[in-house]
Amino acid sequence: MIAPQLRGRRALFATVAAVAVVAVAAYLILRDGREPAERTERADPVATPPPSSLPSTPESSPGATVANQEEIGDGNSPDPTTQTPTPVSTQSLCPFLPSGSDPGSPQDLADETADVAIDTIPVLSVFAAAMHATGFDAQLRKASGVTILAPTDDAFAADIPEDELEILLIKRHGDLQKLLESHVIGKKRLLADLVGAGGVSPLSGDRVSFTASGGGVRVSDDANVICSDLGAENASIHVIDSVLGRIQLTEPQEELG
């Protein structure tokens, strides 16, 4: 027989076990009932980006971007489809001349007499010095109309030795004036007229020919016209790159040019 004390302990253990089972079952029931809500409360919300404050625009293609840039422009670029070509002036062949209305520019020369115009053109200082040394400036100033084939300073330097030119400027004024007269025609003529005529006689009497060559004009096979139709009040000036005519130098020398 089981002792009473042992039966009492077993009953106590059975009661405790039953209570434990009931407690566990109750916990499970309560947990299962609360879990969906708890999971919902604890779950991280799905991040939703805030709406942009600016309206979205589709990405443009490279071709569309270029077109937009061309349409915007800077407001100053000329439209190539509406441009009208500017007529080319013979004065554009004179890069050594001032521009606009500055002294020595083609516009400034128009109201000056021949002698003043020669003085003003930057590359004709030797021709101007010879003109003043001989008194030929007064003749050019009073002329009703002349054409001047004016050699540049470089042309004088290449064709006449410096010491010989100095002698001409100081004391051989008669010979120097004859040399100048080889470059002056007694009528105001445009270069196109001279080429059309083929040749004319300057004040010295020696005939000078004009021939169109390679887009330019050749003068008596000695010089090239490098700047044409500079219009003074009483003269038409054509700048050339070589000295024309003949002059007896102290040292034997071939024909100038």
Side-chain angles (χ1 to χ4, degrees):
M1 292 181 64
I2 300 174
Q5 293 179 348
L6 182 59
R7 289 198 299 268
R9 289 179 180 174
R10 289 181 175 177
L12 177 62
F13 290 155
T15 302
V16 171
V19 171
V21 171
V22 171
V24 171
Y27 168 77
L28 293 176
I29 294 172
L30 292 174
R31 186 195 67 176
D32 292 340
R34 291 196 306 264
E35 190 173 54
E38 290 177 354
R39 289 180 181 176
T40 303
E41 292 173 359
R42 293 177 184 176
D44 293 333
V46 177
T48 303
S52 174
S53 58
L54 297 177
S56 59
T57 55
E59 183 177 353
S60 58
S61 64
T65 302
V66 173
N68 291 338
Q69 291 174 346
E70 292 176 351
E71 289 174 3
I72 293 173
D74 58 6
N76 297 320
S77 301
D79 182 358
T81 61
T82 59
Q83 281 184 300
T84 302
T86 303
V88 178
S89 169
T90 54
Q91 294 171 357
S92 65
L93 302 176
C94 308
F96 47 77
L97 290 181
S99 60
S101 58
D102 293 338
S105 66
Q107 179 178 335
D108 177 67
L109 298 177
D111 297 327
E112 303 293 353
T113 56
D115 59 318
V116 176
I118 293 293
D119 273 330
T120 308
I121 298 174
V123 297
L124 302 183
S125 61
V126 176
F127 193 96
M131 177 183 67
H132 292 300
T134 59
F136 196 52
D137 54 339
Q139 185 174 341
L140 293 178
R141 182 167 53 253
K142 296 175 183 178
S144 59
V146 292
T147 297
I148 303 174
L149 308 173
T152 63
D153 296 342
D154 289 342
F156 274 104
D159 293 338
I160 302 178
E162 184 178 358
D163 55 344
E164 296 283 358
L165 182 59
E166 184 176 350
I167 293 173
L168 287 168
L169 289 170
I170 293 175
K171 58 185 181 182
R172 295 183 61 189
H173 294 164
D175 293 333
L176 185 56
Q177 178 161 332
K178 289 179 181 178
L179 183 64
L180 293 180
E181 289 175 348
S182 298
H183 298 82
V184 179
I185 301 166
K187 188 177 181 180
K188 189 175 181 179
R189 306 283 294 272
L190 295 176
L191 185 61
D193 295 335
L194 296 173
V195 174
V200 295
S201 296
L203 299 181
S204 64
D206 298 326
R207 187 173 176 80
V208 178
S209 64
F210 296 86
T211 307
S213 175
V217 174
R218 186 81 172 153
V219 183
S220 294
D221 291 329
D222 293 326
N224 298 296
V225 177
I226 60 176
C227 180
S228 63
D229 298 329
L230 298 177
E233 179 185 348
N234 63 335
S236 183
I237 302 172
H238 311 299
V239 181
I240 59 177
D241 63 0
S242 187
V243 179
L244 304 175
R246 299 171 180 268
I247 190 169
Q248 183 63 47
L249 304 178
T250 55
E251 293 293 335
Q253 185 168 342
E254 297 180 358
E255 181 180 351
L256 301 178

